[in-house]
Amino acid sequence: MSLRVGVIGTGMIGRDHIRRMRTVQAGVSVVAVADVDGELAARVAAGIGAVAHPDGRELIASPGVDAVVVCSWGGTHEEYVLAAIAAGKPVFCEKPLATSQQACLRIMAAEAGHGSRLVQVGYMRRYDAAYRALKQVLDSGVIGAPLMMHCAHRNAGVPDFYQPDNIITDTAVHEIDLVRWMFGSEIVRVRVLRPRASRNAGELPDPLLLVLELANEVLVDVELSVNVRYGYDIRGEILGEDGTVSLGDPGLVAVRRAGQVGGPVPADWRDRFGAAYDVELRDWAASAAGSGPPDGPGAWDGYAAAVVSEAAVRALRTGEPVTVTLVDRPKLYD
Amino acid sequence: MSLRVGVIGTGMIGRDHIRRMRTVQAGVSVVAVADVDGELAARVAAGIGAVAHPDGRELIASPGVDAVVVCSWGGTHEEYVLAAIAAGKPVFCEKPLATSQQACLRIMAAEAGHGSRLVQVGYMRRYDAAYRALKQVLDSGVIGAPLMMHCAHRNAGVPDFYQPDNIITDTAVHEIDLVRWMFGSEIVRVRVLRPRASRNAGELPDPLLLVLELANEVLVDVELSVNVRYGYDIRGEILGEDGTVSLGDPGLVAVRRAGQVGGPVPADWRDRFGAAYDVELRDWAASAAGSGPPDGPGAWDGYAAAVVSEAAVRALRTGEPVTVTLVDRPKLYD
Amino acid sequence: MSLRVGVIGTGMIGRDHIRRMRTVQAGVSVVAVADVDGELAARVAAGIGAVAHPDGRELIASPGVDAVVVCSWGGTHEEYVLAAIAAGKPVFCEKPLATSQQACLRIMAAEAGHGSRLVQVGYMRRYDAAYRALKQVLDSGVIGAPLMMHCAHRNAGVPDFYQPDNIITDTAVHEIDLVRWMFGSEIVRVRVLRPRASRNAGELPDPLLLVLELANEVLVDVELSVNVRYGYDIRGEILGEDGTVSLGDPGLVAVRRAGQVGGPVPADWRDRFGAAYDVELRDWAASAAGSGPPDGPGAWDGYAAAVVSEAAVRALRTGEPVTVTLVDRPKLYD
Amino acid sequence: MSLRVGVIGTGMIGRDHIRRMRTVQAGVSVVAVADVDGELAARVAAGIGAVAHPDGRELIASPGVDAVVVCSWGGTHEEYVLAAIAAGKPVFCEKPLATSQQACLRIMAAEAGHGSRLVQVGYMRRYDAAYRALKQVLDSGVIGAPLMMHCAHRNAGVPDFYQPDNIITDTAVHEIDLVRWMFGSEIVRVRVLRPRASRNAGELPDPLLLVLELANEVLVDVELSVNVRYGYDIRGEILGEDGTVSLGDPGLVAVRRAGQVGGPVPADWRDRFGAAYDVELRDWAASAAGSGPPDGPGAWDGYAAAVVSEAAVRALRTGEPVTVTLVDRPKLYD
Ligand SMILES: [Mg+2]
Ligand SMILES: [Mg+2]
Ligand SMILES: [Mg+2]
Ligand SMILES: [Mg+2]
């Protein structure tokens, strides 16, 4: 009766999803794990009474596994997602869907071959209550048709491995998916502008201003700052013809002391989007357990994000506007 | 491995707790239900694959039931809670614990006889993220020792059955429990002041100003308004010696249109405290499944709320200050 | 063509009003000053090219003075206001109008003898843009008839001369005038409740909760805190039958840094009410220069404030509710 | 003793400045007016007891006029400012200083010939309390060195005469001046991006995204929307290396009713910047009356705004980035 889930990749995000499925989600059992670090997988498995598989493909093939969560290194996503499709099992894949647009096309082809959607990609902002409220206001029509959006995506800091491209592929990719969903329109052109770099940024070109043009002519600008030190700060305001809607201030309390009134800024993405991850995974598990194909972001969205990210990386490197060209969207994703 | 829960009372709140345990909570199964309306109980049971018991005492006695959630009419709480204690089963009882202080004393005596805490009372505000943040700021010492608190508790409207006393026993009781927890001190005196009544209030004395004096001399005033029409609005600000802390504005988004900037007020308590109920029941179930005695509000808190509520009802009727007298707190509740 | 003003009392507030009349006000000349400290008066006079009079009565009598501003010690107000009325000259008197209700009655009698209003009392909150917006919302009817109001009046600290009574007569008196104006109704009963005292408060009973009942049954509670350290903080929220209106947060900017988002709290009353003083005095001078009797707070308001303050002082001392009794309001003040 | 001011141009803004000098400003008399509409000038003059001159040059030449305020049509500014400089009289000129950069250069040359600054240009945002607080936070160093700024400049609607260029020259010019002042650095490159146009905008390309690059590599983006219908909305947030500072929400009150919490948006620029105009003109008059050369925006600022505006107009027409080239700044403006 319960959905038996196998988790590939037991690093930080994988263990967090396991915790989530074992505490705030009903009807799900984590029965199997796998990780390139076999000892880690064994330890995690022991802690939750699950089976540790020597590799992800065996986990996917296991008859005791109904559905798969892929949290391994991005370079391995294609292989595991294709294996899950081949096995006819629902698969939740953390972003990115794959590391090239060609890989994404192969996944879409496999899914088309299967004949129905099996893949969901981990763009959790679509499940955030504030973004949903933003979209609800927009869709209600009270602010008129959308014209522009301003976003800011600020991280206190980033891991040591960050290279310039990661500011696009790991950070901006959330806004890339978000605006496609928010406005129901594809991104057709991207620009990246470089202000002076922060002394907190080391060698990184940080901050950046990413400008996205959509097919419906909505124009989006995104401030990307990954070393702001002060916290994790996500902003968004949509300009419509007759009004605007913006993300509220998420402060739970206001403190007045020592001449100041204020409150804490979220420390990191867990703090800000923890509840969105909960809803995301719950929603996916419900679809995987039989309520039908996932209605979250799918392979097409993963593909579009990959193409736009590649264009933005080129725009960052060249300083020039770059046009985005997508294949025709397969019927499966209508 | 899973906690098997029986739910007594399948009205609105009972069904909501069932939904909660079946969606946002892991490790819990609702295996049994009972209701004074046997047909309703049968219908609910059928919908979730549970057993419908003819009455609550049989449900409690059932060997297939590990722990009990009591959501029936307040007048029945004492009986079911005593039965659960007699059976040695953890019991979560929606507020009030019982409808008189004598009944609460009987429950405490039974629990003392059992030798450890089995009872949790449904004061969910202790699990609300904003109130917890308030308490965290207070306990951190950054605003100094507490001196006063101002609260407002506003309902858009109340059920037809509301009598004057219900404004204390059903509405104010949340603040009564809240401030005892927030300040770690008992209420020793209550006053109720009556402003002019709202034309929206029918025969009810609405609004009221409830004034609570605590043993540690913190003074709390609570505006109680149960027909404000515009929404459900919960406010609180604590004055400390060196600063203040107040509940933030829970708005997810801000809309600018037609000359105004603003956002929605929560519609009702589900809207405002839904997540607190989730955390509350999850926390309780974890303790019931074996993590130890509940650390939520217990029988002593239910007793204190009953005594203070009775005093406040008298203060409302007489217009005079009323002193609160509690028995000595049994060691079990230290 | 210009209004020639004499200022009695050249202490802090007197000099501030002089600065105001010489910078942000057209059509006014400060031509004369007087102070109990003759040297100070001479120095101030020299700085602005005005005449220093040996005493306030001579200043009032001077044919070169059209109108008088009284900023001297409260105990002298009656004498100067009566002299100004006797001379038929408009007089702006800083609060209090006089230090006893009998003195206020004598002033009203004198003004009645004169036959038209000459006196304005310095309750500047009536000129504050935020309080005016509050009143405008209330008077517009969109929140329905008023039922309750919650106020907080917090000072970072108070002068050394403060005695317990000053918390009423110098601090709370602003709210006493404010609510009479806001609700167009007299205060009929007062209570003062004492929470535990702040360690920052020395011997003072600080904070206090002042409760005011109005003739129209609106109930007002006022938190009075005069040693909060963190700044000057003025709050107010009116509960109406269908909604509420509250003072906004006066922050000009929001700063995000070091894990916090926030902004400065006003440092003191100059910071918070500086603009209100400007409007107040401008409005008064326009009336004094010929636009008609002042429409600001007058002798009746000064009298009512005195009576309510005396009652509140008794309530503070006795801990008992005290009834307020006013004489019938003379027609002049309709 | 009083500064005798002549006002050229008695249209809306001219009359507003006259009102200002006659109500909220001490030490200033409006003694003369002139307007291309002689009847209007005569009527305004009669209302305030001033002299109406047949033309602006005669007003400037009048020995009874100490200083000049130019509020006439932009095309006439150069002539009047040059005449005032020739007469050695301080002149406050509403924006723009002149309608071409060549005209601005002629004005600078004339001022250089005079040997000291006589000209102030009406960029009032530098006098706005909120922008000043923004600059104060920035200059204090608490958010580190500036990197980016996001602005929004929204008008409910614009006059019928508006052509596409006016969105730059009449609207964006305020941000053009503002960021030069805020960051103490010149604008070196401009871009204009065009989103889909609002159906409220008629033939205008509205909204626009203006991107400004400064010499110090700070990057500024400005949303320009001139038909938002809902009110006048001015936003700004500066990203520094260690934090951000943004304009607060200027709401005086918050109303809760009918399911919403909120407050009014300013209706227009008078509503939002009225106090800034007061301070601006007061500050100017003080300098003109002898406190020294104006420290407000001067001819160099007017010139720079003209050059950047011309570049932005070209960027709007061509869709291409346009480089800004200024002459070397004369020593007079250091
Ligand atoms: Mg994600
Ligand atoms: Mg409850
Ligand atoms: Mg005053
Ligand atoms: Mg201007």
Side-chain angles (χ1 to χ4, degrees), chain D residues 294-334:
Chain D
D295 61 1
W300 172 257
D301 301 299
Y303 162 72
V307 179
V308 176
S309 294
E310 287 182 31
V313 164
R314 199 153 72 247
L316 168 60
R317 290 179 184 166
T318 63
E320 296 299 321
V322 176
T323 298
V324 174
T325 310
L326 300 176
V327 299
D328 287 344
R329 188 169 64 185
K331 287 220 173 66
L332 190 58
Y333 305 106
D334 283 351

Side-chain angles (χ1 to χ4, degrees), chain C residues 119-139:
Chain C
V119 180
Q120 178 164 337
V121 187
Y123 290 114
M124 80 293 181
R125 288 201 190 175
R126 299 187 184 202
Y127 296 90
D128 174 62
Y131 276 118
R132 288 190 162 192
L134 214 64
K135 185 160 171 54
Q136 191 174 31
V137 168
L138 179 63
D139 292 349

Side-chain angles (χ1 to χ4, degrees), chain C residues 108 110-118 300 329-334:
Chain C
M108 285 198 289
E111 210 174 27
H114 176 75
S116 68
R117 286 191 52 194
L118 286 172
W300 172 257
R329 188 171 64 186
K331 285 220 172 65
L332 190 59
Y333 304 106
D334 283 352

Side-chain angles (χ1 to χ4, degrees), chain A residues 18 22 30-33 43-51, chain B residues 1:
Chain A
I18 291 171
R22 291 171 49 84
V30 180
V31 297
V33 300
R43 214 157 51 233
V44 170
I48 62 172
V51 175
Chain B
M1 187 170 83

Side-chain angles (χ1 to χ4, degrees), chain A:
Chain A
M1 189 170 83
S2 182
L3 183 76
R4 298 169 303 173
V5 172
V7 176
I8 301 173
T10 54
M12 186 183 61
I13 179 74
R15 291 199 304 273
D16 202 43
H17 281 330
I18 291 171
R19 176 196 58 72
R20 182 163 282 126
M21 287 186 277
R22 291 171 49 84
T23 53
V24 301
Q25 223 171 324
V28 179
S29 312
V30 180
V31 297
V33 300
D35 195 275
V36 63
D37 176 348
E39 278 185 47
L40 173 63
R43 214 157 51 233
V44 170
I48 62 172
V51 175
H53 288 272
D55 66 67
R57 302 193 67 122
E58 191 190 288
L59 179 150
I60 294 167
S62 162
V65 168
D66 300 323
V68 180
V69 170
V70 177
C71 301
S72 51
W73 171 61
T76 66
H77 288 188
E78 180 189 4
E79 175 189 0
Y80 295 134
V81 171
L82 287 173
I85 295 171
K89 296 186 179 180
V91 55
F92 177 91
C93 180
E94 264 307 318
K95 57 136 190 138
L97 174 58
T99 50
S100 74
Q101 46 180 299
Q102 286 70 26
C104 294
L105 288 169
R106 286 190 289 270
I107 290 170
M108 286 199 289
E111 211 174 25
H114 176 76
S116 69
R117 286 190 52 195
L118 285 172
V119 180
Q120 178 163 338
V121 185
Y123 290 114
M124 79 293 181
R125 288 200 189 175
R126 301 188 182 202
Y127 295 90
D128 175 62
Y131 275 118
R132 288 189 164 194
L134 214 65
K135 186 161 170 54
Q136 191 174 31
V137 169
L138 180 63
D139 292 348
S140 77
V142 297
I143 64 164
L147 302 171
M148 297 178 72
M149 183 173 191
H150 171 68
C151 305
H153 185 151
R154 299 179 186 142
N155 286 275
V158 282
D160 286 343
F161 71 74
Y162 249 61
Q163 296 296 318
D165 293 3
N166 294 92
I167 302 178
I168 302 299
T169 55
D170 289 41
T171 300
V173 72
H174 282 291
E175 274 80 13
I176 287 171
D177 180 69
L178 175 75
V179 302
R180 296 179 55 256
W181 168 70
M182 185 65 72
F183 300 113
S185 183
E186 297 297 347
I187 294 164
V188 296
R189 225 158 92 106
V190 301
R191 273 184 185 80
V192 178
L193 304 181
R194 293 174 63 154
R196 93 192 263 182
S198 170
R199 67 168 157 72
N200 297 333
E203 305 292 301
L204 288 176
D206 168 19
L208 296 174
L209 185 71
L210 172 68
V211 180
L212 305 171
E213 296 176 38
L214 275 64
N216 65 2
E217 297 183 72
V218 168
L219 184 73
V220 178
D221 68 277
V222 185
E223 178 210 310
L224 299 164
S225 301
V226 297
N227 288 285
V228 294
R229 301 280 169 95
Y230 72 88
Y232 182 71
D233 198 4
I234 299 298
R235 314 279 201 85
E237 179 175 37
I238 297 171
L239 172 72
E241 290 177 318
D242 302 322
T244 81
V245 59
S246 50
L247 297 175
D249 189 333
L252 290 174
V253 295
V255 178
R256 283 167 173 81
R257 63 180 295 277
Q260 299 284 319
V261 52
V265 172
D268 57 25
W269 49 269
R270 273 180 222 80
D271 203 0
R272 172 66 183 81
F273 288 116
Y277 283 105
D278 292 350
V279 178
E280 173 193 52
L281 217 58
R282 210 179 279 144
D283 195 75
W284 169 74
S287 73
S291 77
D295 61 2
W300 173 257
D301 301 299
Y303 162 72
V307 178
V308 176
S309 294
E310 287 182 29
V313 165
R314 199 153 71 246
L316 168 60
R317 291 179 184 168
T318 64
E320 295 299 320
V322 175
T323 298
V324 175
T325 310
L326 300 176
V327 299
D328 286 344
R329 188 169 64 186
K331 287 221 173 66
L332 190 58
Y333 305 106
D334 282 348

